[in-house]
Amino acid sequence: MTVGESLQVLLIEDSEDDALLAIRALKSSHLRLDWQRVQTVESFCALLKDQTWDVIIADYHLPGFDAPAALEMVQKSDLDIPFIVISGAIGEAAAVEMMKAGAHDYFMKDNLTRLAEAIRREVRDAKVRQEHRDAEVILKQQQAAIEAVIDGIAIVKAGTYLYLNHAYLELFGYEDSTELVGKSWHSLYIAEDVKRLENEIFPLLAQEQSWRGEAIAIRKDGSTFAQEISLTLTEDGTIVSVCRDITQRKQTEQQLKQLNADLLFSNQELGQFAYVASHDLQEPLRKIRSFAELLSERYQDQLDDVADRYISYITNGAIRLQGLIDDLLSYSRVSQAEFNVQETNLEVLLQQVTSDLETLIETRGVIISMDPLPTVLANPIQIQQLFQNLLSNAIKYCQAEVPKIHIGITQAHGTWTIAIKDNGIGIDPQFSERIFVIFQRLHNRNTYTGTGIGLAICKKIIERHGGQIWVDSQEGQGSTFFFSLPSSCDI
Ligand code: ADP
């Protein structure tokens, strides 16, 4: 019952007048009531089961029923309801018996002045008892939860263990909490960490109330293991320590570090190899090409058609190979070159690119429009190359009378996204990833010139800046190439 609520009163009384007398006594003391009267065992049983009651007031003796029987039923039902006996002529001995059996109070019918006060007190006491029971249940649940947790939990007071859960014992290789309760925690950590915790961490804990870190713990058998610990200082000065074994995690971290270092090394090796190989291949190739050209000049008309054709195959092959090697060199240069970023005005870069492509733009009658572009932190040489590749592709892969290109820009959460939209031939979406792979083309050389290096270079440039590049296109409906520059590029 809370303030403002009515008191639920169950009256066991065969006389209506007596019942009204008791009710009047309670109401005159300003108790708000909801009450019901029963006279038989059956109706009492039914009401006890179906409803909740704040207090039971029982006449000591009724025909076929009495207060001791009713009290026994309440107790058997495991209910803690204040039970008050009222009688016309209860003897001292019977009253004492009732109190011994568990009744909370008794009154004579002709003197009910203290009834309301007794009910108030008993209801309050019953409420306190209920709160205790609830708290005990919660405590038991919490204890069960603490025992079930996989992390080790210990409570330490004045440097010694007060409580440890099962996981804590297991973690340190102990079987029974008696082996540790009352003992100092010092022997469970290596001397260096004991010193660090005492001198550095505990003063910090006193200020911040909690700390999280790592330490090296010692098992019962003397072996050590890495542990992650979280310490919490409670108001009464006890420390709650929650810890777990992180040996596995440490090993994985170490392996990952090693793998990353290996990967970085082999990537650098590979990059260097591509660079050196393509660089060194240039020289013999140049020789093949120039001697094939010499051969064709010197022996013109002296050899037959087949020989002339063979020589031209050699020359063309060498020219193509030279082109491929040049591309490979430019590709590996992107990662080999030192990567410096500086404030880069994208608008100025684009103007530079359009002026470099001026002849092409004029011959094809290209219309270029653009949003105002920002200054970002980037590598200007590489971003210029990126714009150059994307713009020249937009012009090359366009059959419209008037090629139109729009350069747009948006910013979200610090990331710039730049879009280069054309009205060209478009790309089948199934190839939207493949086109960024080195030497991958969707057309043969007779339809559109090129070697398939441009977009691979763009991808590498953008990845070096920490961004991404992708395309949105449909065949015959133009393409939009997007690239993002992360917030680290934002000024
Ligand atoms: P290349 O132009 O030398 O073939 P890229 O790497 O620049 O090499 O492009 C790869 C392929 O992507 C091209 O062969 C072409 O099929 C397609 N492509 C690139 N840009 C466009 C574009 N703007 N419109 C349509 N297709 C394009």
Side-chain angles (χ1 to χ4, degrees):
M1 190 194 75
T2 54
V3 180
E5 264 179 45
S6 298
L7 203 64
Q8 303 296 316
V9 181
L10 181 56
L11 265 171
I12 305 171
E13 178 62 81
D14 57 336
S15 150
E16 193 176 351
D17 287 347
D18 286 352
L20 288 174
L21 210 67
I23 294 303
R24 201 171 307 130
L26 297 180
K27 283 193 173 163
S28 67
S29 296
H30 310 292
L31 271 177
R32 290 175 53 180
L33 309 174
D34 261 349
W35 61 279
Q36 287 202 50
R37 180 167 72 95
V38 289
Q39 305 182 58
T40 62
V41 180
E42 293 75 26
S43 48
F44 176 66
C45 263
L47 282 180
L48 200 59
K49 218 164 70 198
D50 296 345
Q51 292 184 32
T52 41
W53 300 101
D54 294 313
V55 62
I56 297 169
I57 301 173
D59 186 9
Y60 185 74
H61 192 74
L62 296 81
F65 195 22
D66 62 15
L71 179 60
E72 205 182 318
M73 284 165 69
V74 174
Q75 288 167 338
K76 275 197 180 139
S77 315
D78 241 356
L79 294 167
D80 181 9
I81 307 170
F83 192 97
I84 290 169
V85 183
I86 296 184
S87 168
I90 187 171
E92 188 81 14
V96 171
E97 263 323 295
M98 277 300 324
M99 294 296 281
K100 267 194 196 156
H104 293 89
D105 214 339
Y106 72 92
F107 290 90
M108 297 310 235
K109 284 189 179 170
D110 54 8
N111 184 8
L112 296 178
T113 39
R114 275 183 42 253
L115 179 62
E117 183 194 319
I119 286 181
R120 278 200 176 94
R121 182 194 65 230
E122 290 305 329
V123 167
R124 207 169 44 234
D125 288 356
K127 195 175 158 214
V128 171
R129 286 196 299 276
Q130 186 57 44
E131 281 169 0
H132 273 223
R133 277 194 298 272
D134 290 349
E136 251 169 52
V137 169
I138 292 174
L139 201 68
K140 279 204 181 116
Q141 286 168 344
Q142 285 175 344
Q143 263 172 353
I146 288 174
E147 283 303 326
V149 162
I150 7 175
D151 287 335
I153 299 176
I155 299 175
V156 177
K157 180 142 197 180
T160 57
Y161 288 110
L162 270 188
Y163 164 85
L164 319 115
N165 73 345
H166 187 67
Y168 199 90
L169 292 174
E170 237 176 39
L171 203 59
F172 286 88
Y174 290 86
E175 269 125 52
D176 201 294
S177 59
T178 53
E179 294 179 80
L180 289 176
V181 170
K183 308 256 163 61
S184 159
W185 62 273
H186 286 190
S187 55
L188 277 78
Y189 289 90
I190 61 166
E192 198 184 323
D193 277 340
V194 171
K195 216 154 91 191
R196 181 173 60 99
L197 284 158
E198 291 275 11
N199 299 341
E200 295 169 30
I201 309 305
F202 290 172
L204 208 73
L205 197 60
Q207 282 171 18
E208 320 232 316
Q209 269 68 56
S210 68
W211 174 82
R212 214 183 170 125
E214 292 176 10
I216 304 294
I218 309 172
R219 292 192 192 90
K220 188 180 174 184
D221 65 8
S223 58
T224 55
F225 64 103
Q227 212 183 53
E228 183 182 6
I229 323 175
S230 115
L231 298 178
T232 310
L233 183 67
T234 63
E235 268 176 22
D236 65 345
T238 48
I239 294 175
V240 179
S241 160
V242 181
C243 51
R244 64 174 65 150
D245 187 338
I246 51 166
T247 314
Q248 190 70 38
R249 198 179 82 193
K250 284 264 159 201
Q251 276 168 1
T252 316
E253 273 172 16
Q254 192 52 38
Q255 280 166 352
L256 210 65
K257 241 192 221 162
Q258 189 57 45
L259 276 176
N260 271 341
D262 291 351
L263 203 67
L264 195 72
F265 182 70
S266 64
N267 266 348
Q268 278 169 350
E269 288 246 291
L270 214 63
Q272 252 157 17
F273 170 76
Y275 186 76
V276 171
S278 34
H279 193 266
D280 291 356
L281 279 174
Q282 274 181 325
E283 190 43 40
L285 198 60
R286 215 172 285 136
K287 269 209 179 98
I288 295 174
R289 186 179 164 184
S290 37
F291 279 104
E293 278 167 1
L294 270 181
L295 207 61
S296 107
E297 278 167 26
R298 180 71 99 37
Y299 295 97
Q300 192 127 41
D301 303 331
Q302 291 182 41
L303 298 167
D304 62 8
D305 285 355
V306 179
D308 283 345
R309 207 164 59 238
Y310 287 174
I311 292 170
S312 84
Y313 285 163
I314 296 172
T315 318
N316 289 342
I319 291 171
R320 249 199 85 205
L321 203 53
Q322 234 170 7
L324 287 174
I325 285 172
D326 283 346
D327 285 350
L328 210 54
L329 258 177
S330 338
Y331 182 73
S332 52
R333 240 180 236 129
V334 178
S335 19
Q336 292 303 306
E338 226 180 297
F339 185 70
N340 297 320
V341 292
Q342 62 189 65
E343 292 196 5
T344 305
N345 186 322
L346 295 181
E347 220 161 274
V348 173
L349 278 194
L350 258 173
Q351 272 154 14
Q352 184 60 47
V353 172
T354 47
S355 109
D356 290 347
L357 296 174
E358 199 177 351
T359 326
L360 182 64
I361 291 172
E362 272 173 16
T363 1
R364 295 285 314 267
V366 184
I367 297 176
I368 299 180
S369 59
M370 65 175 88
D371 290 348
L373 298 179
T375 297
V376 294
L377 272 183
N379 181 299
I381 299 171
Q382 293 193 348
I383 298 292
Q384 183 169 335
Q385 187 177 4
L386 171 97
F387 275 133
Q388 167 106 21
N389 291 358
L390 292 178
L391 253 63
S392 46
N393 273 354
I395 302 168
K396 177 164 64 166
Y397 297 104
C398 183
Q399 288 175 349
E401 189 95 12
V402 181
K404 286 183 186 156
I405 303 171
H406 179 76
I407 297 113
I409 185 153
T410 52
Q411 193 189 28
H413 311 298
T415 297
W416 291 106
T417 302
I418 293 139
I420 289 126
K421 183 177 162 58
D422 65 43
N423 60 340
I425 59 171
I427 298 161
D428 184 336
Q430 65 170 310
F431 301 123
S432 53
E433 304 244 336
R434 206 175 101 183
I435 53 169
F436 293 99
V437 177
I438 186 166
F439 297 139
Q440 292 292 328
R441 315 197 62 226
L442 304 182
H443 310 278
N444 64 35
R445 270 175 296 134
N446 301 330
T447 327
Y448 292 100
T449 56
T451 56
I453 195 81
L455 290 180
I457 288 180
C458 291
K459 187 165 191 283
K460 198 160 236 193
I461 289 175
I462 280 307
E463 281 172 356
R464 281 206 100 185
H465 282 80
Q468 284 176 321
I469 185 164
W470 67 100
V471 67
D472 181 19
S473 181
Q474 291 290 338
E475 243 179 326
Q477 293 180 25
S479 312
T480 308
F481 280 83
F482 296 92
F483 68 87
S484 63
L485 290 172
S487 46
S488 54
C489 296
D490 197 23
I491 295 175

